[in-house]
Amino acid sequence: MAGNFLWILDNGHGKSTPGKRSPVLEDGRKLLEYEFNREIVRLLSDKLEADAINYHIIVPEIEGDISLAERVRRANHLVSDLPKLFVSIHCNAQSDNWGTASGIETYYYEASVKGRTMAALFQKHLIETLQWKDRGIKTANFYVLKNTDMPAILTENGFYSNREECLKLLSEEWREKIAAAHLVAIQEIEKRGAGF
C-alpha cells in the first residue's frame, strides 16, 4: 500500500448499544446506528483499498459492543511505521422521536491542531458532496478524541431522528455519497502530507 498515513477507522457503537436507532418508519424500517456506521466504514475501506491508501478497521466485531477505552487502546497500541490518523464515523439524533434537527457536524479535540484541520476538511467535503445543512466543526471531550495519541475526528453524518434524512441514510445511494466524501477528505490530507 502507498500513502503517508495509516487511517484508523472507528465504526461507532455496537449491536448491543442501547438506543442508537431511529423511530420506526411507516414501512416498518428503522435505522440502526451501529449498522449504518459499519456500512459506511465498509464502503470507505473498499474505496481506500482501490486507492492503495493504508487503513485499519479498529472494531471488526459485529456482536456486542466494544468499549470506548478498548477502542482507544487498540488504536494507541497499533504498531505502524506511518503516522496514524483516527476517524470515528457516526450519525446523529436529536431525541428518540422524530425531530427537526438536521445536517452534518464534525468534532475534534480542542488541543489538537491537526485534529482541527482534519475536521475542517472532512466537514467541507461532506457538505460539498451531500449539500446538507452545515452545522460546522465543533470541539468536544469525547473519549475517543481526547484519549487517542494521534489526531482524531468524529463525523456526525446527518440525523436519523429527522425523517427526511433518515430515509436518505437508509439508502445505498446516499451511503455511497457519504463514504465517497470521506474518501475525498482522506485523499486531500494524503496529498498534503505529514504537515497537512
Side-chain angles (χ1 to χ4, degrees):
M1 290 289 212
N4 293 307
F5 305 100
L6 176 62
W7 291 88
I8 310 295
L9 306 180
D10 173 44
N11 35 20
H13 308 298
K15 190 173 183 179
S16 62
T17 308
K20 305 299 179 188
R21 61 205 65 221
S22 74
V24 179
L25 290 157
E26 290 77 5
D27 61 7
R29 290 184 300 157
K30 61 184 171 185
L31 183 139
L32 305 174
E33 189 184 351
Y34 88 91
E35 184 275 330
F36 170 86
N37 299 341
R38 275 162 178 70
E39 180 63 7
I40 299 302
V41 164
R42 185 190 71 76
L43 292 168
L44 176 57
S45 66
D46 288 348
K47 295 176 190 307
L48 293 171
E49 192 88 30
D51 216 25
I53 293 173
N54 304 284
Y55 70 92
H56 179 81
I57 299 173
I58 207 70
V59 182
E61 299 94 339
I62 300 294
E63 297 299 325
D65 195 4
I66 306 304
S67 70
L68 299 177
E70 174 60 14
R71 291 166 189 260
V72 166
R73 189 198 68 77
R74 291 180 184 185
N76 289 346
H77 285 80
L78 186 65
V79 175
S80 172
D81 292 332
L82 295 169
K84 295 181 287 186
L85 299 176
F86 186 94
V87 179
S88 189
I89 293 176
H90 294 253
C91 53
N92 221 333
Q94 180 180 30
S95 70
D96 292 336
N97 302 309
W98 294 119
T100 57
S102 64
I104 307 282
E105 55 196 23
T106 304
Y107 288 87
Y108 66 99
Y109 184 56
E110 189 172 20
S112 175
V113 174
K114 284 189 174 178
R116 188 185 196 290
T117 301
M118 283 174 64
L121 287 169
F122 276 80
Q123 182 74 8
K124 171 185 163 226
H125 288 295
L126 284 162
I127 294 302
E128 285 178 357
T129 301
L130 302 176
Q131 298 291 303
W132 292 2
K133 180 180 178 180
D134 185 352
R135 298 174 64 90
I137 62 171
K138 301 178 179 181
T139 60
N141 288 330
F142 296 151
Y143 191 92
V144 296
L145 301 183
K146 183 177 181 180
N147 294 288
T148 43
D149 59 11
M150 65 208 72
I153 62 163
L154 186 150
T155 61
E156 292 279 12
N157 300 281
F159 280 74
Y160 58 79
S161 58
N162 179 299
R163 189 189 303 269
E164 181 182 343
E165 285 189 356
C166 183
L167 287 167
K168 290 177 178 176
L169 293 168
L170 284 165
S171 78
E172 287 183 26
E173 176 190 359
W174 285 94
R175 290 181 177 199
E176 277 286 351
K177 287 183 179 182
I178 291 166
H182 282 77
L183 173 67
V184 174
I186 287 171
Q187 288 171 329
E188 182 167 345
I189 292 170
E190 283 283 343
K191 284 177 187 170
R192 291 186 178 199
F196 287 27

